[in-house]
Structures are given as structure tokens and as C-alpha cells.
Amino acid sequence: MIEQLRKDFPLLHKLVDEQPLCYFDSAATTQKPQSVIDAVSHFYQLENANVHRGAHTLSADATTKYEAVRDKLAQYLNVHRSEIVWTKGATDSLNLIAHGLSDMLNQDAVIVLSPFEHHANIVPWQQAAARTGAKIVVLPASKEGVLDHNASIKLIHKLKPAILSICHASNALGNIHDVKSLIDASKAYSTITVVDGAQSFMHLKPDLTQLDCDFFVFSAHKALGPTGLGGLFGRFNLLNSLPVYQTGGEMIDTVSFSGTTFRQAPEKFEPGTPNISGVLGFGAALDYLNNIERDALIEHEYALYQYLVSNLKNIAGVKIWGDTAHNIGVVSFTYKNEHHFDIATLLNTYGVAVRSGHHCTQPLMAHLNIPGTIRVSLAFYNNQQDIDTFISALIETIEMLEE
Ligand code: PMP
């Protein structure tokens, strides 16, 4: 089944420096199936028109197809279509939310984050805190990089935060967080809960009605879709209570030189011409994700992850960081005191594409007291051959470094 699926991803068959590509950077961005590439080029070849405007057929057809993807996405996340806002990506979504929620913050307010957050889920809150005097408090975690769940729940009860914003899964370590219980704990205090789903959107297919969060953000490119597109879920009433973010055409009801009135969500947050080809490409990505045998692929991904972890554990000097018991398939490791960049550069000569560095989580690296890691991030289209190639390349890399 995997070998059949791999045929759908043209780039997986590319030679990099004359070596077959072993792609282990899906946490940065996933590869794209041909159907997504086709949907984008089909739009420009045969369907190109602006949406929500013209009376002409091309525009009406583009609008219908574009809005149908909002329905598809709402179904995927199990929420209502009016609660889905298109953005440029998870970063853009978090900025929109932090900007909007600033109005409810003051110097008595607490914003709770975790040590695992991507900079995109830290810096917008720091800006909001600087504007309003609110305080940021970080949940506790072990020195190995695992959230202290019980202490976190206790801290939430103690702090009664105005906002809890936490990643569903860590991009740096792959840890899956039990966000549901953190959300439930904060319910008693009318805390606004924000889930950064950039890494969970594809791997965990979250049911947002069941998760019961107030906001959820994601990026299309981490779930087989095009870059430059993402979105957010927000509860309808909450979305409508937020101030507008960016302004311009499409998001207004009426404009005159004496003032402007705005539309309701989601249009209120979607000014200007949207990323139409991106949305149509993402529609094809959602079709792809909906049509594969998901449970079997999750099992395959997890089996590969365990195979990778057990092979790495056999290499003396390798240290794996984070929670290997609850993980979306990301292995983050260091080797003795060797620099992560040197190892990643040598691995690249074997066609092995990994990420090295701080993974946009500098506070997490500071907490672990390391400058960075080598990150191997899996997706369902990886196979055992990829892992075997990686392990033998790593062993040779280590031999070279030790010489
Ligand atoms: N949050 C997490 C957990 C991420 O992994 C990423 C991307 N690495 C982001 C936010 C930001 O996503 P984007 O760069 O697509 O806006």
C-alpha cells in the first residue's frame, strides 16, 4: 500500500546529488501528491477568475469551488463552515488571534503557554502582553522535554488564565499533548483556549467539537497542501466579538467617507483577493487525506517511528529528546557534543534530508540546555528503506566525525 501511495508524490522519486531522496522534513513541510499539483495548475489553465465578484460564469464557478473547500475543511475538523477563516498560515492565524484577544487583556491577565511552543505561538503573545501589561507564564516540563501534565493542570487552576495557547503536537520533538484535559481544566475560569494544530492537523485529524477549544490554527503546507495558505477555527460568537485585523475590500458591508461597517465572520477576517489556487489545491489535499486508509497509515507511521527509535537507541552517544511514548513521528536527537549542523550536512551527502537547529523553538532548546537537535520527521509516505538508509548514513557520518 505504501509503495502505491509513494507513486503519488513525484518529488519522492527525485535524485538529490545523484542519491535517491530520503525525505525526513515533513514537519517543516510535507511533499505534495500529484492531485494537489494538478488542482493548482488546472485552476490557472482552465478556471482562473476572481471569487465573490463577477456575474460571469468563470467567477461564479471559481467561487463555488473555492467555498466548497471551506465546507470540506469544516467537515474534516467537525465544525461549522462559518467558523473557518482562511489565512496565510498558522503564523498569520496566531497573529490574528493574539491581536484580536489583546482587547480583553490587562495587567491582571495571565497568558499561559508551554515550553514547547513554536516562535509563532510565543512572539504574538509577547507583543500582546507588551501592549496590555498581561503576564506570560510557561507550563512546567522535565529536563528531557516532556510536559509535566499534572503540574500543568494544577498551575492552570492556580493561575485562572485569561488565555491558554498550546501546541497539540510539538514541531521540535513530536510530543503529543493531552490538550483536551488542559482545555477542560481551564473551562471553570472562562479561559480562551487556543490550540496550535500546525503539526496535529494531518497526523491526528483532530475533532474540534470533541476537543472543545475556542481557536485552532493550522497551515495547509504541513498537510499535503500548497504553501502560503492556512486557516483558523474560531467559535462563531467569539470571532464576531473580535476587532477586525486587516481591512480592505470583501470584508465590509458598507463603506462611506463617514465610516465603514463590517461583515460577520468569516468574511470579516478575509480582506482582499484570497489565495484561490491554494485553497483549491488544499481541497485536493483534503480529498487525498479523506480517501486514504487512515488507520492503517497511522499504524504504519507509528511502526516506522518505533523502528527508527529502536535503531537510534542502539547507537552509543545518541540522545533522543522528548516524549517517545506519545509522538506524531518526530525524532529529535543529539550526538555527544557534535554540532547538529555538521551531522545534517553530512547526512545530506547521502540524500537524507533532515532539519537541524532550534526548529523555531529557542526557548525549548534553552530549557533542554542544548543549542539544537537533528530532527527526523516522518510522514505516512516514508518507508522502511528510508529508515535503513538514514541509519547507515548516520553510522558512517559518526565514523567520519570520530576519525
Ligand atoms: N506552529 C507549529 C507547531 C509549527 O510547526 C509551525 C511551522 N513549523 C508553525 C506554528 C508556523 O507555521 P507556518 O510557518 O506555516 O506559518
Side-chain angles (χ1 to χ4, degrees):
M1 175 176 65
I2 299 305
E3 293 318 307
Q4 202 52 39
L5 286 180
R6 282 173 68 86
K7 292 190 183 138
D8 298 333
F9 293 79
L11 227 139
L12 293 182
H13 309 289
K14 184 180 161 65
L15 295 181
V16 176
D17 299 331
E18 294 168 29
Q19 310 270 2
L21 171 67
C22 280
Y23 189 72
F24 287 126
D25 202 15
S26 294
T29 197
T30 59
Q31 292 303 341
K32 319 301 172 199
Q34 189 63 47
S35 58
V36 169
I37 300 164
D38 288 346
V40 173
S41 66
H42 189 263
F43 172 71
Y44 286 119
Q45 275 177 5
L46 298 167
E47 301 170 323
N48 180 46
N50 211 330
V51 292
H52 300 145
R53 290 162 207 245
H56 63 86
T57 303
L58 273 183
S59 175
D61 287 352
T63 304
T64 306
K65 286 186 93 174
Y66 171 85
E67 286 300 336
V69 182
R70 200 189 302 269
D71 288 320
K72 219 173 268 184
L73 176 58
Q75 222 166 24
Y76 183 91
L77 294 172
N78 192 22
V79 291
H80 193 268
R81 71 186 314 281
S82 60
E83 299 177 306
I84 297 282
V85 177
W86 293 117
T87 67
K88 287 186 287 184
T91 303
D92 194 26
S93 301
L94 287 162
N95 274 280
L96 187 161
I97 295 166
H99 171 270
L101 293 178
S102 292
D103 275 10
M104 59 167 272
L105 296 174
N106 56 41
Q107 54 200 20
D108 298 324
V110 174
I111 301 167
V112 168
L113 306 176
S114 89
F116 301 92
E117 299 316 314
H118 188 282
H119 297 161
N121 196 26
I122 299 174
V123 186
W125 299 114
Q126 282 176 332
Q127 294 295 103
R131 281 195 298 273
T132 60
K135 195 165 96 182
I136 292 179
V137 178
V138 181
L139 295 175
S142 73
K143 284 285 163 219
E144 303 297 302
V146 183
L147 186 75
D148 186 336
H149 189 261
N150 291 340
S152 294
I153 299 269
K154 275 193 198 138
L155 192 61
I156 287 170
H157 286 305
K158 186 173 152 213
L159 294 172
K160 308 178 175 46
I163 293 167
L164 168 72
S165 190
I166 183 166
C167 57
H168 201 173
S170 153
N171 67 300
L173 308 181
N175 301 3
I176 299 170
H177 296 132
D178 179 6
V179 286
K180 170 74 178 146
S181 64
L182 299 172
I183 291 167
D184 286 349
S186 64
K187 283 275 177 250
Y189 315 110
S190 312
T191 305
I192 306 280
T193 53
V194 183
V195 175
D196 177 352
Q199 296 295 336
S200 66
F201 183 95
M202 182 177 83
H203 293 275
L204 303 177
K205 194 180 187 226
D207 177 332
L208 300 190
T209 297
Q210 192 265 332
L211 210 53
D212 208 16
C213 54
D214 296 311
F215 292 100
F216 179 93
V217 308
F218 64 93
S219 289
H221 72 95
K222 292 182 197 283
L224 313 185
T227 52
L229 176 75
L232 64 89
F233 153 80
R235 285 192 202 283
F236 189 66
N237 290 341
L238 207 45
L239 274 181
N240 282 312
S241 72
L242 295 187
V244 292
Y245 183 48
Q246 294 189 322
T247 52
E250 293 290 303
M251 48 84 73
I252 54 88
D253 245 343
T254 60
V255 180
S256 74
F257 281 110
S258 57
T260 296
T261 57
F262 303 111
R263 298 177 69 180
Q264 284 209 316
E267 290 84 4
K268 174 180 172 180
F269 296 106
E270 296 180 348
T273 299
N275 183 350
I276 307 165
S277 63
V279 167
L280 298 188
F282 190 42
L286 291 171
D287 287 342
Y288 193 92
L289 288 172
N290 286 332
N291 287 334
I292 54 183
E293 286 176 49
R294 215 176 171 90
D295 291 347
L297 288 174
I298 287 173
E299 249 175 63
H300 159 75
E301 211 173 278
Y302 197 61
L304 272 189
Y305 172 74
Q306 286 179 316
Y307 180 65
L308 171 59
V309 169
S310 67
N311 272 282
L312 272 175
K313 281 187 173 162
N314 286 335
I315 303 176
V318 165
K319 176 163 178 56
I320 299 174
W321 298 87
D323 187 353
T324 50
H326 308 95
N327 203 290
I328 53 165
V330 172
V331 179
S332 226
F333 70 95
T334 46
Y335 176 73
K336 296 184 182 168
N337 285 328
E338 295 292 347
H339 200 277
H340 48 78
F341 184 75
D342 295 340
I343 294 180
T345 306
L346 285 168
L347 286 172
N348 182 50
T349 63
Y350 295 86
V352 174
V354 295
R355 173 100 179 250
S356 76
H358 55 65
H359 318 296
C360 295
T361 57
Q362 285 183 0
L364 175 62
M365 295 300 130
H367 175 83
L368 302 176
N369 201 20
I370 49 174
T373 69
I374 299 126
R375 183 184 73 181
V376 183
S377 54
L378 305 178
F380 61 82
Y381 46 64
N382 286 115
N383 60 14
Q384 190 170 330
Q385 177 63 52
D386 287 339
I387 312 273
D388 291 338
T389 305
F390 163 71
I391 292 292
S392 56
L394 180 65
I395 290 170
E396 287 184 29
T397 294
I398 287 172
E399 279 166 7
M400 256 184 277
L401 289 169
E402 304 258 294
E403 267 171 15

